[in-house]
């Protein structure tokens, strides 16, 4: 069959979609670029906020109305369970996050309708499946590698543990082998994925032998892989910012100087209610340590505005924390109650208009801060991995520095280095989310 996968949500969904596409290609199906050309459309859904879930469901409804065979996969399926067929009566099949390996068989048997929710405890081990790394998916220079499935943190507002199940760390041996195989096929940069990735190897053993904290140890092992140039990972929790992690940063030049460290709130009262297990001071201390190690270290974050009971004073605490932390970038989310989570039992009492106002205030602050952080880099020379033509201006190339900052520079057709190579760019001008420069020798 000719198929297409639409992906909503996070990087882990992007990787899951890539893996399922690879499995379908291995089973003899053809991936196509447009809905019109597809007989089968898979929708990989997100449910972290209500809006995200509605987008995926809406899309599935439209495609079913257009007569396509539609399969829904991912987090929204797990949350809705059998109700997914009430919302989408004509849906052909629905598969939870840890069961997408079953899709080729479901499609082969045309066994419709089918619902596969899966059991959280049984790890799928799909990333290890050689078919999920088919030739086509190696064409790029960057690759996601899922290392930790699920989450056991149980933050009060978050549906992720309900839909992605308990933490399961893939064996280090398997991860290292996968990255080695990617590097041998031209991948220069990997991004290791986990909801709280620094908890790698804590709930279940990832290493066969003893030898230090499991995640920093993984970084050290990946540092040794020939051909691999950059190692990123996301998301992090301040509890994981240990001395051993800092030591791994210091000793491993391939590990990028950027950490996505979601803070969620700057108010100790709200942080406690969220069950985040750190205080404002502890969070800021983690940021301080990273910046003490390297003043240009980039720290980015996620923030929720309008959590139940969030007062003006709580909100101002978030504002001031963001200023103290000097974030390089921030994603702001308006609180959305998710059924079954602890906070869903609390009144969602910050009015929508007020959530929107707080959202806008934080974004405006971040624009100014991003500009200031980037202004400080004007005149410096960045090591930039070339990603391709800039989206806005095709006469320019675009890439990222170690801090994940987007850098663009003029590159006439005759002066185009290979995608995936690293070049030096001197920064001439700064914007809140982008650096503009000139290539230097
Ligand atoms: N595992 C990651 C976050 C995954 S969800 C981590 O903990 O670092 C991505 C972001 O969505 C979260 O950081 C949070 O800011 C936001 N989010 C999660 N649940 C939400 C909810 N119910 N309402 C609004 N935003 C939410
Ligand atoms: Fe959700 Fe918290 Fe787990 Fe992140 S750490 S996925 S916010 S429960």
């Amino acid at each position: 069959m000719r198929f297409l996968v639409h992906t909503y949500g996070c990087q882990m969904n992007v990787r899951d979609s890539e893996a399922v596409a690879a499995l379908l290609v291995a089973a003899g199906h053809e991936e196509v670029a447009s809905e019109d050309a597809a007989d089968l459309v898979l929708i990989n859904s997100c449910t972290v906020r209500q809006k995200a879930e509605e987008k995926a469901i809406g899309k599935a409804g439209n495609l079913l109305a257009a007569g396509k065979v539609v399969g829904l996969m991912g987090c929204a399926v797990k949350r809705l369970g059998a109700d997914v067929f009430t919302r989408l009566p004509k849906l052909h099949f629905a598969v939870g996050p840890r069961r997408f390996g079953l899709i080729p068989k479901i499609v082969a048997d045309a066994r419709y309708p089918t619902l596969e929710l899966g059991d959280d405890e049984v790890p799928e081990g799909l990333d290890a499946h050689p078919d999920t790394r088919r030739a086509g998916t190696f064409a790029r220079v960057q690759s996601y590698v899922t290392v930790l499935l699920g989450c056991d943190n149980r933050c009060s507002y978050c549906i992720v543990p309900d839909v992605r199940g308990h933490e399961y760390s893939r064996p280090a041996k398997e991860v290292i082998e996968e990255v080695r195989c990617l590097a041998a096929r031209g991948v220069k940069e990997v991004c290791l994925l986990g909801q709280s990735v620094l908890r790698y190897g804590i709930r279940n053993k990832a290493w066969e032998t003893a030898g230090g904290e499991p995640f920093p140890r993984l970084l050290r092992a990946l540092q040794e892989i020939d051909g691999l140039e950059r190692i990123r990972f996301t998301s992090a929790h301040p509890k994981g910012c240990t001395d051993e992690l800092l030591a791994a940063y210091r000793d491993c030049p391939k590990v990028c100087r950027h950490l996505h460290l979601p803070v969620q709130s700057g108010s100790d009262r709200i942080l406690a209610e969220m069950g985040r297990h750190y205080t404002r001071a502890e969070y800021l201390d983690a940021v301080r340590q990273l910046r003490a190690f390297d003043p240009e270290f980039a720290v980015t974050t996620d923030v929720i505005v309008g959590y139940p009971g969030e007062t003006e004073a709580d909100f101002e605490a978030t504002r001031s924390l963001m200023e103290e932390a000097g974030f390089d970038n921030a994603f702001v989310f308006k609180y959305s109650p998710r059924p079954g989570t602890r906070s869903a039992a609390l009144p969602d009492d910050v009015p929508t208009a007020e959530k929107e106002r707080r959202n806008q205030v934080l974004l405006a602050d971040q624009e100014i801060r991003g500009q200031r952080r980037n202004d400080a880099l004007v005149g410096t020379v960045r090591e930039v991995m070339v990603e391709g033509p800039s989206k806005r201006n095709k006469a320019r190339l675009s890439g990222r520095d170690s801090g994940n900052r987007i850098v663009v520079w003029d590159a006439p057709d005759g002066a185009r280095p290979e995608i995936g190579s690293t070049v030096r760019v001197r920064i001439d001008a700064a914007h809140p989310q982008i650096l503009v420069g000139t290539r230097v020798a």
Side-chain angles (χ1 to χ4, degrees), residues 10 12 46-50 150-151 153 155-160 194-197 234-237 260-264 274 276 301-305 307 331-338 341 343:
C10 65
M12 207 171 273
C46 172
T47 187
V48 79
R49 286 166 297 276
Q50 192 187 342
C151 182
N153 276 353
C155 301
S156 63
Y157 51 84
C158 188
I159 191 82
V160 170
Q195 296 300 334
S196 197
V197 74
T234 195
S235 291
H237 185 282
H260 186 63
L261 196 62
V263 66
Q264 314 301 0
M274 287 177 163
R276 290 291 295 175
T301 203
D302 293 343
V303 173
I304 297 176
V305 290
Y307 184 81
F331 300 91
V332 183
F333 301 103
K334 287 171 272 185
Y335 173 72
S336 165
R338 306 308 292 130
T341 59
S343 69

Side-chain angles (χ1 to χ4, degrees), residues 70-203:
V70 178
L72 194 66
M73 59 186 271
C75 296
V77 172
K78 184 75 176 184
R79 192 188 81 74
L80 288 164
D83 278 352
V84 71
F85 289 101
T86 317
R87 300 281 294 275
L88 296 164
K90 291 189 188 153
L91 184 69
H92 295 85
F93 62 93
V95 177
R98 290 201 190 178
R99 282 298 172 276
F100 59 79
L102 301 171
I103 291 175
K105 177 104 173 73
I106 295 170
V107 172
D109 299 346
R111 182 159 53 88
Y112 308 136
T114 291
L115 176 65
E116 291 283 359
L117 291 176
D119 167 358
D120 292 347
E121 283 297 334
V122 183
E124 197 172 34
L126 247 185
D127 278 290
H129 195 299
D131 285 347
T132 74
R133 291 296 185 186
R134 77 186 145 99
T137 63
F138 292 101
R140 294 161 327 182
V141 291
Q142 292 157 314
S143 203
Y144 290 125
V145 177
T146 301
V147 301
L148 177 73
L149 285 72
C151 182
D152 282 338
N153 276 353
R154 297 239 156 237
C155 301
S156 63
Y157 51 84
C158 188
I159 191 82
V160 170
D162 291 331
V163 296
R164 284 205 175 258
H166 281 298
E167 282 176 1
Y168 171 77
S169 299
R170 294 177 55 208
K173 221 165 109 185
E174 190 182 296
V175 172
I176 294 163
E177 193 44 46
E178 182 175 341
V179 175
R180 195 174 283 138
C181 156
L182 289 168
R185 300 175 81 162
V187 170
K188 303 272 186 248
E189 175 179 312
V190 291
C191 181
L192 311 176
L193 300 179
Q195 296 300 334
S196 197
V197 74
L198 303 178
R199 283 187 50 82
Y200 177 75
I202 292 178
R203 182 171 184 262

